[in-house]
Amino acid sequence: MKVDTRSIGKVLNAPDAWRFVLLHGDDSGLIREYASDLVKRVAGSLDDPFRVAALSRETHDRFEEEATALSLDGGQRVVWVREGTDSLARPVSSVLDGAGSAVIIVEAGVLPARGKLRKLAEERSDSASIGCYPEEGRALENSVRQMFAERQVGITSEALGWLVSQLGADRIGVRNEIEKLALYAGPDHELDLEDVRICIGDSGSASIDDSVFLAMEGDRGGTDLALERALSEGANPVAVARVLLGHIGRLRRVKAATEQGQSQSEAMKSLRPPVFFKKQQGFERALGLWSLPALTDLARRTQAFELSCKQTGAMDVLLCRRHLSVIAARAAAAARRR
């Protein structure tokens, strides 16, 4: 069956109800988090040699052997397959229809909606298909707040809003930042904006933010430096696209409000989370360089850029450098015309 976002928790909390769980999408960190949670719930650990068989792409040919093997200690076995593709559809179907009893957990990347593996997981009543995509906005805020609560750490609304605006799209990156902040705070402490800025102000996520702001302001040299720093710290081009789309969306909201008669300062104050005070001048410079139609066109082009990055074999880093370079050049040209 196809599992919607609201029901994911029920699947994760009751893994014994499923023979086959497919985790797919473009958030590899979230996929790994869900898979690890399921494996631990079924087998008790991630590395029990008697109950967990972890298969990489190079060992997919062992799938049927592992999926039909008996547990030596009598417990439930798990076959944990990474880098899954549609080529697994037939052997998985064969095992599900046969005598094997192992729980099958498959991590995959982006799969076509009509692909064989997704179709198999969505059509069988003993199987679950879970799409794993980067969280944004309110959903990301709720997840971050929950992660802090699990560690008995509080966070002010202002700090939470700023933190969410800085975080990248990948779940592993988000969780790593939360772990760092929780360690800094300690139990029963509430993080404020200054605490958060001290801890992650120089992170790769902040470098992405810098590259996006500088590109929209027309600073070509600064854009290149910030982007290379972000990439060297582990940022991925899809995360850059998501931050850029968020920034463009906020610029569009302010532009639309001003065209309806609201002052620019009032329109900026209405944004949630608010523009970080150190970024306000850059935000205002971008507002002066981009018209509302130009921002709408840029949003469309950025969505196309993000989609291109997700294609198999795409040179995503090269596409990312070129996309931001073109944006910075357009903004610089607009600045010269002023």
Side-chain angles (χ1 to χ4, degrees), residues 124-190:
R124 293 185 63 109
S125 61
D126 61 354
S127 304
S129 173
I130 301 177
C132 301
Y133 303 99
E135 293 178 315
E136 299 175 330
R138 184 62 59 84
L140 181 57
E141 279 194 15
N142 290 338
S143 290
V144 169
R145 194 185 296 277
Q146 181 178 347
M147 290 180 197
F148 278 125
E150 290 170 355
R151 293 159 179 78
Q152 298 180 312
V153 174
I155 184 169
T156 66
S157 296
E158 183 182 29
L160 178 64
W162 187 84
L163 175 60
V164 168
S165 73
Q166 302 299 305
L167 292 173
D170 186 79
R171 183 71 164 210
I172 290 179
V174 171
R175 189 166 288 279
N176 286 343
E177 293 295 350
I178 301 306
E179 294 285 359
K180 182 166 65 176
L181 284 162
L183 183 63
Y184 170 85
D188 302 319
H189 177 79
E190 183 175 63

Side-chain angles (χ1 to χ4, degrees), residues 260-289:
Q260 293 176 2
Q262 193 173 15
S263 71
Q264 182 171 294
S265 61
E266 290 176 343
M268 286 180 62
K269 288 179 182 178
S270 68
L271 291 175
R272 292 293 179 273
V275 180
F276 184 47
F277 74 94
K278 288 189 176 181
K279 299 285 189 182
Q280 287 181 357
Q281 289 187 346
F283 194 94
E284 291 170 351
R285 280 194 292 269
L287 285 171
L289 298 175

Side-chain angles (χ1 to χ4, degrees), residues 9-334:
K10 295 180 181 178
V11 174
L12 298 178
N13 291 326
D16 293 341
W18 311 100
R19 285 289 316 284
F20 169 40
V21 178
L22 172 65
L23 302 163
H24 63 91
D26 55 10
D27 191 336
S28 58
L30 187 58
I31 289 172
R32 179 56 53 84
E33 180 178 318
Y34 285 168
S36 299
D37 189 43
L38 283 167
V39 171
K40 283 190 288 187
R41 286 178 181 273
V42 175
S45 74
L46 299 178
D47 54 5
D48 185 330
F50 299 110
R51 299 182 62 185
V52 180
L55 304 179
S56 63
R57 181 186 291 272
E58 291 74 23
T59 54
H60 282 183
D61 58 348
R62 289 172 39 208
F63 170 75
E64 290 188 76
E65 174 189 350
E66 294 289 355
T68 55
L70 297 176
S71 173
L72 295 180
D73 64 358
Q76 178 70 64
R77 275 177 55 78
V78 179
V79 180
W80 182 5
V81 186
R82 296 164 184 166
E83 302 176 275
T85 64
D86 277 342
S87 64
L88 285 167
R90 179 171 293 181
V92 170
S93 178
S94 176
V95 169
L96 293 175
D97 290 334
S101 61
V103 175
I104 302 164
I105 299 171
V106 176
E107 296 183 16
V110 177
L111 296 174
R114 297 183 180 180
K116 296 178 181 179
L117 203 56
R118 283 185 62 176
K119 185 177 180 181
L120 175 66
E122 291 173 5
E123 291 184 350
R124 293 185 63 109
S125 61
D126 61 354
S127 304
S129 173
I130 301 177
C132 301
Y133 303 99
E135 293 178 315
E136 299 175 330
R138 184 62 59 84
L140 181 57
E141 279 194 15
N142 290 338
S143 290
V144 169
R145 194 185 296 277
Q146 181 178 347
M147 290 180 197
F148 278 125
E150 290 170 355
R151 293 159 179 78
Q152 298 180 312
V153 174
I155 184 169
T156 66
S157 296
E158 183 182 29
L160 178 64
W162 187 84
L163 175 60
V164 168
S165 73
Q166 302 299 305
L167 292 173
D170 186 79
R171 183 71 164 210
I172 290 179
V174 171
R175 189 166 288 279
N176 286 343
E177 293 295 350
I178 301 306
E179 294 285 359
K180 182 166 65 176
L181 284 162
L183 183 63
Y184 170 85
D188 302 319
H189 177 79
E190 183 175 63
L191 292 161
D192 59 22
L193 180 59
E194 190 62 26
D195 292 329
V196 175
R197 285 178 50 218
I198 289 172
C199 285
I200 74 161
D202 294 324
S203 68
S205 298
S207 298
I208 294 177
D209 205 48
D210 289 340
S211 67
V212 165
F213 268 75
L214 291 169
M216 296 297 291
E217 296 168 41
D219 186 340
R220 301 177 69 174
T223 300
D224 290 342
L225 287 173
L227 179 59
E228 291 308 312
R229 179 183 179 189
L231 294 172
S232 70
E233 293 172 341
N236 66 73
V238 172
V240 175
R242 294 295 176 89
V243 174
L244 179 56
L245 283 170
H247 185 44
I248 293 170
R250 285 157 68 82
L251 289 168
R252 289 175 66 191
R253 284 197 289 275
V254 172
K255 280 297 234 185
T258 57
E259 289 190 4
Q260 293 176 2
Q262 193 173 15
S263 71
Q264 182 171 294
S265 61
E266 290 176 343
M268 286 180 62
K269 288 179 182 178
S270 68
L271 291 175
R272 292 293 179 273
V275 180
F276 184 47
F277 74 94
K278 288 189 176 181
K279 299 285 189 182
Q280 287 181 357
Q281 289 187 346
F283 194 94
E284 291 170 351
R285 280 194 292 269
L287 285 171
L289 298 175
W290 296 87
S291 66
L292 187 55
L295 288 170
T296 301
D297 177 68
L298 183 57
R300 179 182 59 80
R301 291 175 182 272
T302 301
Q303 288 171 336
F305 151 63
E306 180 183 354
L307 181 61
S308 297
C309 288
K310 296 176 181 177
Q311 304 304 306
T312 302
M315 295 182 287
D316 54 353
V317 172
L318 180 61
L319 290 171
C320 185
R321 290 184 178 123
R322 184 174 68 180
H323 190 65
L324 284 196
S325 178
V326 169
I327 292 173
R330 287 181 61 186

